[in-house]
Amino acid sequence: MSEVVPVEIRGVEFYAEVVGVEGPANVGLNEVMSFDGVRQTIEAIATELTAAWRTVRPDEAAVEFSLTLKVKEGKLSGLLVSGGAEGSLKVSLRWTGAKAESGGSAND
């Protein structure tokens, strides 16, 4: 089940469709919800990917992922994968060899 709810980020209000809106919640769905849980989800994913990139040291890196917005315990949250659901995370890493050609070392 999904529902459109008002969400606020730094004073800007918009609407988002959320899934998993079922049963009683601590916050009514007619109230503006904070985007903090979604931001924290994105930050956690980005932090882990950044750590991996520091290890493999690509010249370029890109990531694409999609989050489903979910209400959990009355709070808005980002959901990458749930239960048997399929998640999407596309990571592209590229090594151009430019450092080797320009005389730079792998430890720059």
Side-chain angles (χ1 to χ4, degrees):
M1 181 172 131
S2 68
E3 188 168 332
V4 176
V5 299
V7 179
E8 183 177 334
I9 301 176
R10 298 181 182 158
V12 177
E13 189 174 313
F14 62 96
Y15 291 88
E17 183 176 13
V18 296
V19 298
V21 182
E22 52 191 66
N26 295 331
V27 176
L29 290 179
N30 292 329
E31 297 177 30
V32 176
M33 305 190 90
S34 169
F35 205 69
D36 289 346
V38 178
R39 179 186 47 79
Q40 291 166 351
T41 301
I42 294 168
E43 287 175 353
I45 293 168
T47 298
E48 290 301 314
L49 291 172
T50 300
W53 293 333
R54 285 186 182 131
T55 300
V56 298
R57 301 180 55 86
D59 294 316
E60 296 177 23
V63 64
E64 293 179 27
F65 60 90
S66 58
L67 291 177
T68 299
L69 301 183
K70 183 172 179 73
V71 175
K72 184 175 182 181
E73 297 175 1
K75 296 181 180 178
L76 190 60
S77 176
L79 177 67
L80 186 59
V81 178
S82 175
E86 188 174 304
S88 175
L89 181 66
K90 179 181 177 184
V91 177
S92 299
L93 303 175
R94 183 173 172 209
W95 289 265
T96 62
K99 287 183 182 177
E101 291 171 11
S102 65
S105 72
N107 294 323
D108 286 342

PDB file of all heavy atoms in Angstrom, residues 8 13-14 26 30 33-34 38-40 45 68 70 73 76 81 83 87 93-94 98-100 105 108:
ATOM      1  N   GLU A   8       9.347  17.579   4.446  1.00  0.00           N
ATOM      2  CA  GLU A   8      10.039  18.862   4.540  1.00  0.00           C
ATOM      3  C   GLU A   8      11.541  18.659   4.603  1.00  0.00           C
ATOM      4  O   GLU A   8      12.044  17.806   5.336  1.00  0.00           O
ATOM      5  CB  GLU A   8       9.590  19.622   5.782  1.00  0.00           C
ATOM      6  CG  GLU A   8      10.236  20.990   5.885  1.00  0.00           C
ATOM      7  CD  GLU A   8       9.750  21.780   7.074  1.00  0.00           C
ATOM      8  OE1 GLU A   8       8.625  21.551   7.543  1.00  0.00           O
ATOM      9  OE2 GLU A   8      10.517  22.624   7.534  1.00  0.00           O
ATOM     10  N   GLU A  13       8.845  22.317   1.600  1.00  0.00           N
ATOM     11  CA  GLU A  13       7.901  21.210   1.706  1.00  0.00           C
ATOM     12  C   GLU A  13       7.554  20.692   0.315  1.00  0.00           C
ATOM     13  O   GLU A  13       7.379  21.463  -0.630  1.00  0.00           O
ATOM     14  CB  GLU A  13       6.628  21.681   2.416  1.00  0.00           C
ATOM     15  CG  GLU A  13       5.688  20.553   2.748  1.00  0.00           C
ATOM     16  CD  GLU A  13       4.498  21.025   3.576  1.00  0.00           C
ATOM     17  OE1 GLU A  13       4.698  21.751   4.554  1.00  0.00           O
ATOM     18  OE2 GLU A  13       3.371  20.652   3.213  1.00  0.00           O
ATOM     19  N   PHE A  14       7.502  19.371   0.174  1.00  0.00           N
ATOM     20  CA  PHE A  14       7.088  18.728  -1.074  1.00  0.00           C
ATOM     21  C   PHE A  14       6.345  17.454  -0.712  1.00  0.00           C
ATOM     22  O   PHE A  14       6.231  17.100   0.452  1.00  0.00           O
ATOM     23  CB  PHE A  14       8.287  18.447  -1.993  1.00  0.00           C
ATOM     24  CG  PHE A  14       9.301  17.502  -1.410  1.00  0.00           C
ATOM     25  CD1 PHE A  14       9.261  16.149  -1.716  1.00  0.00           C
ATOM     26  CD2 PHE A  14      10.291  17.964  -0.556  1.00  0.00           C
ATOM     27  CE1 PHE A  14      10.191  15.273  -1.182  1.00  0.00           C
ATOM     28  CE2 PHE A  14      11.231  17.098  -0.029  1.00  0.00           C
ATOM     29  CZ  PHE A  14      11.179  15.764  -0.336  1.00  0.00           C
ATOM     30  N   ASN A  26       3.153   6.438  15.060  1.00  0.00           N
ATOM     31  CA  ASN A  26       3.297   7.481  16.062  1.00  0.00           C
ATOM     32  C   ASN A  26       3.022   8.865  15.495  1.00  0.00           C
ATOM     33  O   ASN A  26       2.681   9.778  16.210  1.00  0.00           O
ATOM     34  CB  ASN A  26       4.721   7.455  16.658  1.00  0.00           C
ATOM     35  CG  ASN A  26       4.982   6.174  17.417  1.00  0.00           C
ATOM     36  OD1 ASN A  26       4.065   5.570  17.951  1.00  0.00           O
ATOM     37  ND2 ASN A  26       6.225   5.753  17.462  1.00  0.00           N
ATOM     38  N   ASN A  30      -1.013  12.946   7.980  1.00  0.00           N
ATOM     39  CA  ASN A  30      -1.384  14.284   7.553  1.00  0.00           C
ATOM     40  C   ASN A  30      -0.375  15.323   8.055  1.00  0.00           C
ATOM     41  O   ASN A  30      -0.448  16.479   7.687  1.00  0.00           O
ATOM     42  CB  ASN A  30      -2.791  14.639   8.048  1.00  0.00           C
ATOM     43  CG  ASN A  30      -3.843  13.800   7.349  1.00  0.00           C
ATOM     44  OD1 ASN A  30      -3.665  13.426   6.204  1.00  0.00           O
ATOM     45  ND2 ASN A  30      -4.921  13.511   8.041  1.00  0.00           N
ATOM     46  N   MET A  33       6.398  15.210   7.334  1.00  0.00           N
ATOM     47  CA  MET A  33       7.409  14.261   7.789  1.00  0.00           C
ATOM     48  C   MET A  33       8.804  14.808   7.492  1.00  0.00           C
ATOM     49  O   MET A  33       9.015  15.509   6.524  1.00  0.00           O
ATOM     50  CB  MET A  33       7.209  12.923   7.086  1.00  0.00           C
ATOM     51  CG  MET A  33       5.808  12.364   7.266  1.00  0.00           C
ATOM     52  SD  MET A  33       5.664  10.687   6.702  1.00  0.00           S
ATOM     53  CE  MET A  33       6.091   9.861   8.216  1.00  0.00           C
ATOM     54  N   SER A  34       9.761  14.448   8.313  1.00  0.00           N
ATOM     55  CA  SER A  34      11.147  14.853   8.137  1.00  0.00           C
ATOM     56  C   SER A  34      11.815  13.939   7.102  1.00  0.00           C
ATOM     57  O   SER A  34      11.521  12.754   7.019  1.00  0.00           O
ATOM     58  CB  SER A  34      11.893  14.749   9.461  1.00  0.00           C
ATOM     59  OG  SER A  34      13.276  14.888   9.256  1.00  0.00           O
ATOM     60  N   VAL A  38      15.791   9.497   5.237  1.00  0.00           N
ATOM     61  CA  VAL A  38      16.225   9.253   3.858  1.00  0.00           C
ATOM     62  C   VAL A  38      17.647   9.774   3.670  1.00  0.00           C
ATOM     63  O   VAL A  38      18.502   9.101   3.088  1.00  0.00           O
ATOM     64  CB  VAL A  38      15.249   9.909   2.856  1.00  0.00           C
ATOM     65  CG1 VAL A  38      15.723   9.705   1.432  1.00  0.00           C
ATOM     66  CG2 VAL A  38      13.842   9.354   3.040  1.00  0.00           C
ATOM     67  N   ARG A  39      17.921  10.975   4.190  1.00  0.00           N
ATOM     68  CA  ARG A  39      19.269  11.555   4.102  1.00  0.00           C
ATOM     69  C   ARG A  39      20.284  10.632   4.763  1.00  0.00           C
ATOM     70  O   ARG A  39      21.361  10.374   4.223  1.00  0.00           O
ATOM     71  CB  ARG A  39      19.308  12.930   4.763  1.00  0.00           C
ATOM     72  CG  ARG A  39      20.696  13.576   4.732  1.00  0.00           C
ATOM     73  CD  ARG A  39      20.755  14.880   5.512  1.00  0.00           C
ATOM     74  NE  ARG A  39      20.150  14.817   6.831  1.00  0.00           N
ATOM     75  CZ  ARG A  39      20.744  14.293   7.913  1.00  0.00           C
ATOM     76  NH1 ARG A  39      21.950  13.771   7.824  1.00  0.00           N
ATOM     77  NH2 ARG A  39      20.124  14.283   9.077  1.00  0.00           N
ATOM     78  N   GLN A  40      19.950  10.099   5.929  1.00  0.00           N
ATOM     79  CA  GLN A  40      20.861   9.199   6.640  1.00  0.00           C
ATOM     80  C   GLN A  40      21.111   7.920   5.856  1.00  0.00           C
ATOM     81  O   GLN A  40      22.238   7.393   5.848  1.00  0.00           O
ATOM     82  CB  GLN A  40      20.306   8.888   8.028  1.00  0.00           C
ATOM     83  CG  GLN A  40      20.327  10.093   8.948  1.00  0.00           C
ATOM     84  CD  GLN A  40      19.491   9.905  10.199  1.00  0.00           C
ATOM     85  OE1 GLN A  40      18.752   8.932  10.332  1.00  0.00           O
ATOM     86  NE2 GLN A  40      19.597  10.843  11.120  1.00  0.00           N
ATOM     87  N   ILE A  45      25.075   4.825   2.590  1.00  0.00           N
ATOM     88  CA  ILE A  45      25.467   4.151   1.343  1.00  0.00           C
ATOM     89  C   ILE A  45      26.682   4.842   0.738  1.00  0.00           C
ATOM     90  O   ILE A  45      27.661   4.199   0.350  1.00  0.00           O
ATOM     91  CB  ILE A  45      24.292   4.126   0.349  1.00  0.00           C
ATOM     92  CG1 ILE A  45      23.169   3.228   0.882  1.00  0.00           C
ATOM     93  CG2 ILE A  45      24.758   3.654  -1.034  1.00  0.00           C
ATOM     94  CD1 ILE A  45      21.861   3.361   0.128  1.00  0.00           C
ATOM     95  N   THR A  68      13.258   3.449  -2.337  1.00  0.00           N
ATOM     96  CA  THR A  68      11.818   3.515  -2.129  1.00  0.00           C
ATOM     97  C   THR A  68      11.615   4.211  -0.797  1.00  0.00           C
ATOM     98  O   THR A  68      12.300   3.903   0.178  1.00  0.00           O
ATOM     99  CB  THR A  68      11.223   2.094  -2.070  1.00  0.00           C
ATOM    100  OG1 THR A  68      11.480   1.445  -3.316  1.00  0.00           O
ATOM    101  CG2 THR A  68       9.731   2.130  -1.814  1.00  0.00           C
ATOM    102  N   LYS A  70       9.744   4.850   2.578  1.00  0.00           N
ATOM    103  CA  LYS A  70       8.936   3.990   3.433  1.00  0.00           C
ATOM    104  C   LYS A  70       8.702   4.680   4.773  1.00  0.00           C
ATOM    105  O   LYS A  70       9.579   5.366   5.275  1.00  0.00           O
ATOM    106  CB  LYS A  70       9.656   2.663   3.652  1.00  0.00           C
ATOM    107  CG  LYS A  70       8.880   1.661   4.473  1.00  0.00           C
ATOM    108  CD  LYS A  70       9.590   0.328   4.474  1.00  0.00           C
ATOM    109  CE  LYS A  70       8.874  -0.703   5.302  1.00  0.00           C
ATOM    110  NZ  LYS A  70       7.660  -1.193   4.700  1.00  0.00           N
ATOM    111  N   GLU A  73       7.746   3.094  11.769  1.00  0.00           N
ATOM    112  CA  GLU A  73       7.563   3.614  13.122  1.00  0.00           C
ATOM    113  C   GLU A  73       7.270   5.105  13.097  1.00  0.00           C
ATOM    114  O   GLU A  73       7.781   5.875  13.898  1.00  0.00           O
ATOM    115  CB  GLU A  73       8.797   3.313  13.977  1.00  0.00           C
ATOM    116  CG  GLU A  73       9.029   1.821  14.149  1.00  0.00           C
ATOM    117  CD  GLU A  73      10.312   1.508  14.891  1.00  0.00           C
ATOM    118  OE1 GLU A  73      11.023   2.445  15.303  1.00  0.00           O
ATOM    119  OE2 GLU A  73      10.620   0.321  15.052  1.00  0.00           O
ATOM    120  N   LEU A  76       9.830   8.758   8.101  1.00  0.00           N
ATOM    121  CA  LEU A  76      10.137   8.524   6.704  1.00  0.00           C
ATOM    122  C   LEU A  76      11.545   7.968   6.594  1.00  0.00           C
ATOM    123  O   LEU A  76      12.480   8.466   7.214  1.00  0.00           O
ATOM    124  CB  LEU A  76      10.032   9.843   5.930  1.00  0.00           C
ATOM    125  CG  LEU A  76      10.096   9.778   4.416  1.00  0.00           C
ATOM    126  CD1 LEU A  76       8.960   8.925   3.870  1.00  0.00           C
ATOM    127  CD2 LEU A  76      10.020  11.175   3.840  1.00  0.00           C
ATOM    128  N   VAL A  81      16.542  -2.192  -0.245  1.00  0.00           N
ATOM    129  CA  VAL A  81      16.047  -3.549  -0.474  1.00  0.00           C
ATOM    130  C   VAL A  81      15.256  -3.967   0.755  1.00  0.00           C
ATOM    131  O   VAL A  81      15.648  -3.682   1.870  1.00  0.00           O
ATOM    132  CB  VAL A  81      17.214  -4.540  -0.686  1.00  0.00           C
ATOM    133  CG1 VAL A  81      16.698  -5.944  -0.884  1.00  0.00           C
ATOM    134  CG2 VAL A  81      18.065  -4.145  -1.869  1.00  0.00           C
ATOM    135  N   GLY A  83      13.181  -7.445   2.355  1.00  0.00           N
ATOM    136  CA  GLY A  83      12.751  -8.839   2.233  1.00  0.00           C
ATOM    137  C   GLY A  83      13.202  -9.464   0.930  1.00  0.00           C
ATOM    138  O   GLY A  83      14.362  -9.461   0.594  1.00  0.00           O
ATOM    139  N   GLY A  87      16.710  -5.020  -5.326  1.00  0.00           N
ATOM    140  CA  GLY A  87      17.259  -3.668  -5.251  1.00  0.00           C
ATOM    141  C   GLY A  87      18.108  -3.374  -6.458  1.00  0.00           C
ATOM    142  O   GLY A  87      18.518  -4.281  -7.186  1.00  0.00           O
ATOM    143  N   LEU A  93      33.258   2.014 -12.283  1.00  0.00           N
ATOM    144  CA  LEU A  93      34.602   2.445 -11.930  1.00  0.00           C
ATOM    145  C   LEU A  93      35.436   2.480 -13.199  1.00  0.00           C
ATOM    146  O   LEU A  93      35.317   1.602 -14.050  1.00  0.00           O
ATOM    147  CB  LEU A  93      35.234   1.485 -10.923  1.00  0.00           C
ATOM    148  CG  LEU A  93      34.463   1.265  -9.624  1.00  0.00           C
ATOM    149  CD1 LEU A  93      35.146   0.198  -8.782  1.00  0.00           C
ATOM    150  CD2 LEU A  93      34.328   2.553  -8.850  1.00  0.00           C
ATOM    151  N   ARG A  94      36.302   3.497 -13.316  1.00  0.00           N
ATOM    152  CA  ARG A  94      37.086   3.625 -14.544  1.00  0.00           C
ATOM    153  C   ARG A  94      38.523   4.004 -14.196  1.00  0.00           C
ATOM    154  O   ARG A  94      38.759   4.898 -13.386  1.00  0.00           O
ATOM    155  CB  ARG A  94      36.468   4.701 -15.429  1.00  0.00           C
ATOM    156  CG  ARG A  94      37.155   4.855 -16.735  1.00  0.00           C
ATOM    157  CD  ARG A  94      36.405   5.795 -17.632  1.00  0.00           C
ATOM    158  NE  ARG A  94      37.197   6.066 -18.802  1.00  0.00           N
ATOM    159  CZ  ARG A  94      37.155   7.169 -19.488  1.00  0.00           C
ATOM    160  NH1 ARG A  94      36.316   8.117 -19.162  1.00  0.00           N
ATOM    161  NH2 ARG A  94      37.920   7.345 -20.533  1.00  0.00           N
ATOM    162  N   ALA A  98      45.926   7.626 -16.647  1.00  0.00           N
ATOM    163  CA  ALA A  98      46.496   8.967 -16.782  1.00  0.00           C
ATOM    164  C   ALA A  98      47.616   9.204 -15.768  1.00  0.00           C
ATOM    165  O   ALA A  98      48.602   9.841 -16.096  1.00  0.00           O
ATOM    166  CB  ALA A  98      45.403  10.021 -16.608  1.00  0.00           C
ATOM    167  N   LYS A  99      47.498   8.694 -14.560  1.00  0.00           N
ATOM    168  CA  LYS A  99      48.538   8.889 -13.550  1.00  0.00           C
ATOM    169  C   LYS A  99      49.843   8.223 -13.976  1.00  0.00           C
ATOM    170  O   LYS A  99      50.905   8.783 -13.834  1.00  0.00           O
ATOM    171  CB  LYS A  99      48.085   8.343 -12.204  1.00  0.00           C
ATOM    172  CG  LYS A  99      47.041   9.197 -11.546  1.00  0.00           C
ATOM    173  CD  LYS A  99      46.688   8.650 -10.195  1.00  0.00           C
ATOM    174  CE  LYS A  99      45.586   9.507  -9.578  1.00  0.00           C
ATOM    175  NZ  LYS A  99      45.150   8.976  -8.297  1.00  0.00           N
ATOM    176  N   ALA A 100      49.754   7.014 -14.509  1.00  0.00           N
ATOM    177  CA  ALA A 100      50.954   6.299 -14.950  1.00  0.00           C
ATOM    178  C   ALA A 100      51.604   7.026 -16.111  1.00  0.00           C
ATOM    179  O   ALA A 100      52.824   7.149 -16.176  1.00  0.00           O
ATOM    180  CB  ALA A 100      50.604   4.859 -15.324  1.00  0.00           C
ATOM    181  N   SER A 105      52.393   8.517  -9.224  1.00  0.00           N
ATOM    182  CA  SER A 105      52.450   7.175  -8.653  1.00  0.00           C
ATOM    183  C   SER A 105      51.072   6.737  -8.223  1.00  0.00           C
ATOM    184  O   SER A 105      50.165   7.553  -8.060  1.00  0.00           O
ATOM    185  CB  SER A 105      53.422   7.142  -7.472  1.00  0.00           C
ATOM    186  OG  SER A 105      52.846   7.824  -6.377  1.00  0.00           O
ATOM    187  N   ASP A 108      49.590   8.541  -5.016  1.00  0.00           N
ATOM    188  CA  ASP A 108      49.323   9.997  -4.977  1.00  0.00           C
ATOM    189  C   ASP A 108      48.046  10.285  -4.257  1.00  0.00           C
ATOM    190  O   ASP A 108      47.090   9.638  -4.354  1.00  0.00           O
ATOM    191  CB  ASP A 108      49.244  10.582  -6.387  1.00  0.00           C
ATOM    192  CG  ASP A 108      50.621  10.694  -7.027  1.00  0.00           C
ATOM    193  OD1 ASP A 108      51.615  10.646  -6.284  1.00  0.00           O
ATOM    194  OD2 ASP A 108      50.681  10.843  -8.265  1.00  0.00           O
TER     195      ASP A 108
END
